[in-house]
Amino acid sequence: MAAEAETSNTFYVPTPSLPTITLPDSYHAFRSQPTPLIIDNGSSNLRFGFSTSASPHTSLNVIAKYKERKFNQSLLLFGDAIDAESGAKSQAKTPWEGDVLLNFDAMENALDYAFVRLGIDTDGVDHPVLMTERLCSPLHSRAFTSELMFEQYSVPSLTYCVDSVMSFYQNNKPPSSSPFGADGLVVSFNTASTSVIPILDGKGVLSHAKRIPWGTQQSTEYLLKLIQLKYSSFPTRVTSAQASWMLHNFCSFATDYPAVLRSLKVPAYMRTAERIIQFPFSIPVIEEKTEEEITRISEKRKEQGKKLQELAAKSRMEKLAQKETDLQYLTNLKDSKSENKREWTNTLQTEGFDDEAALDETIKKLELDVKRARKKEADGQDDVIEEPSFPLIDVPDADLDEEGLKEKKKQKLMKAGFDARARARREKEKEREEKEAEEKREEEERENNFDEWATKLRREQEAIMTKMKERRRRKAALSDRKSAAAQARMKNIASLAADERVSKKKRKAGGEDMFGADDEDWQIYRKLNTAAVSSDEEEEFNQLQIIENKLLMHDPTFTMLHTHASITSQKSALISAFRPQYEEGDLEGMARIHLNTERWRVCETYFSPGMAGIDSAGLGEVLQSILARFSESEKARLVKNVFITGGPSQFPGLQERLHGTLRPILPPEMHLGDIVRAADPSLDAWRGMASFANTDEFHRVSVTAEEYQEWGGERIKRWWGGNWNSVV
């Protein structure tokens, strides 16, 4: 089990340990003895040993051919020894492809390891062998395995059996003198599949057995994909081995999966039900600086900031002066409009304007920019500025030479700028007085009727937040090209592209393109360019901040949690419980995985494979289909002894879920026995095989070397523990 951390629902990812060197067993006790050799050839683990042993040797059923670069040696690694070499992991492969035995080179290497580990040092393996194969194993897999055992290892006899049936035999063994005749319904959870085998009178009714293509391997991959989807930017790589560890330690079956999901809608319950997986993380080394260095850096930054402010102020003043000059020039140009229309049009075109409307639009934009710039400048200059003298303004042009005329023109522009700044200061003073009067009026309203004042401000806040929310919703809708907002935007673009402009001939006749004459015409560009921040948004945001500051200052019931910033930054409680967010610098929190809905969702795929995209019936449908093939009396015998085996049979909640699945599909009067789990789901199949190999019946169902030479490798004998309905 996982190592428990400081809190009850936080667990650390186990650190993989290096494999230990184990010496081969002594072969002395089994030399020249016909002791049966038991091999449970599983997709995940290879279990092997002599039938008289109490327990088998167990190792991961995976091999890797790896060339070690330091000593330039070719290595053949098996089992957990692959973890000792990081480069060997990419070369690892198993004898199995899903649920079919195909890689016989890897199978031969695995058997070599098993026989060496058992200490067998003879030319051949002179022991009868009892070996597992998959339910309804393909004939070519059996043929190649038989060829390997008889011709490579020279075994005297070979018997195949189904591992789940032998696990059932181990848990329902008859007395030594009685034949095996138990009834039951075996549900076997394997690595790449899940099988259901009905057994009557000790024989598997394999013609009615069924298998679904979902097992521990697919469950691990599904959990890993859910984690990768949930934590797309996780700082470390989550491996399949770590996902398998999480699956076996934290996942469970739900008796009522929809009810569990409904209960998880409550954030508090989701936090209680979650399991926090803490991954390793490293704390970066931060170089500490002395007080002198910190002071020196701070002063340097202040100096740099001051220089930047001076440069920015100088740049703003230059831009403002240029805009004022341009505005004055364009204003004078408009004032000097000629009565001759053709001459006026030529003048506009010479200045770069198509028509008078373009000139008006440019003047309006410059006035707005100058007004804003003057206001910002006035905000930073509250000192009284003496009016400069402009002596040449009142002097007639006839009394001035060329240099004097230039200086007079310059003084006119300077006086216009000074007057404009004076007007801006007066406007600011007027706004300040109006603001003070408004604040005084508002203060009186707040003192006379506080509740009404607070309610009014809250309504204004709500209205502004609604408008901002609607604007964000529209922007989000525009990202979907099929949404109504996106289609309306495309219609606007199409209408602009198809708009018929006034021809030159009509212009000469007096016709004009009137686009832009109305300020509303320019709203079309705001509708098209939704990414740009409009002045309305900025004003709304500033107004919202003013309202919230007033409420925070005077309304004790209005807290920071009610502000727009808090509401928008705080996600829903359910989302926060599903995937809690950590601060940017919290390295420990960023290296955590919160398992909540995944704990039940992964196991639910056994009953609903469609959740993971598998086109297959679930375990409940398979059980119903199998039981429907039997008579009522046979069905009653089967459901009295429902047996589950395999690694996932140890997941919590499976027995209750199977009971809840079987009860509704059975007649009310039919007794449903307890769902029985194998005493040791991992080793009971091997132990059942070992017990059977010590009986006389074992020798009667074995295929000898002579029979192999006569019949071929596909042939097996009919018996209750094997794929007996596959007899050729």
Side-chain angles (χ1 to χ4, degrees), residues 468-512:
M468 297 173 72
K469 182 179 179 181
E470 180 62 24
R471 189 178 289 111
R472 287 196 303 269
R473 187 198 63 78
R474 175 177 171 79
K475 286 183 179 180
L478 286 173
S479 62
D480 182 6
R481 62 184 180 86
K482 295 184 179 180
S483 65
Q487 292 179 4
R489 180 173 180 269
M490 293 303 298
K491 287 181 181 179
N492 290 331
I493 296 175
S495 64
L496 286 176
D499 190 12
E500 296 181 0
R501 299 299 177 186
V502 179
S503 64
K504 292 182 179 180
K505 186 176 181 180
K506 288 185 178 180
R507 287 179 182 176
K508 291 181 180 179
E512 286 190 33

Side-chain angles (χ1 to χ4, degrees), residues 470-471 473-479 483-496 515 518-537:
E470 180 62 24
R471 189 178 289 111
R473 187 198 63 78
R474 175 177 171 79
K475 286 183 179 180
L478 286 173
S479 62
S483 65
Q487 292 179 4
R489 180 173 180 269
M490 293 303 298
K491 287 181 181 179
N492 290 331
I493 296 175
S495 64
L496 286 176
F515 180 85
D518 187 358
D519 290 341
E520 294 296 327
D521 293 343
W522 303 100
Q523 295 294 327
I524 185 66
Y525 294 111
R526 183 175 296 176
K527 292 180 181 178
L528 297 180
N529 188 14
T530 58
V533 179
S534 65
S535 58
D536 294 342
E537 293 181 58

Side-chain angles (χ1 to χ4, degrees), residues 139 311 316 372-373 488 491 612 620 708:
L139 295 181
L311 291 174
R316 285 197 303 269
R372 288 179 178 173
K491 287 181 181 179
Y708 163 75

Side-chain angles (χ1 to χ4, degrees), residues 344-345 348-349 353-360 512-513 515:
W344 174 238
T345 303
L348 290 176
Q349 291 179 351
F353 298 102
D354 295 335
D355 50 24
E356 190 173 353
L359 175 62
D360 294 339
E512 286 190 33
D513 183 6
F515 180 85

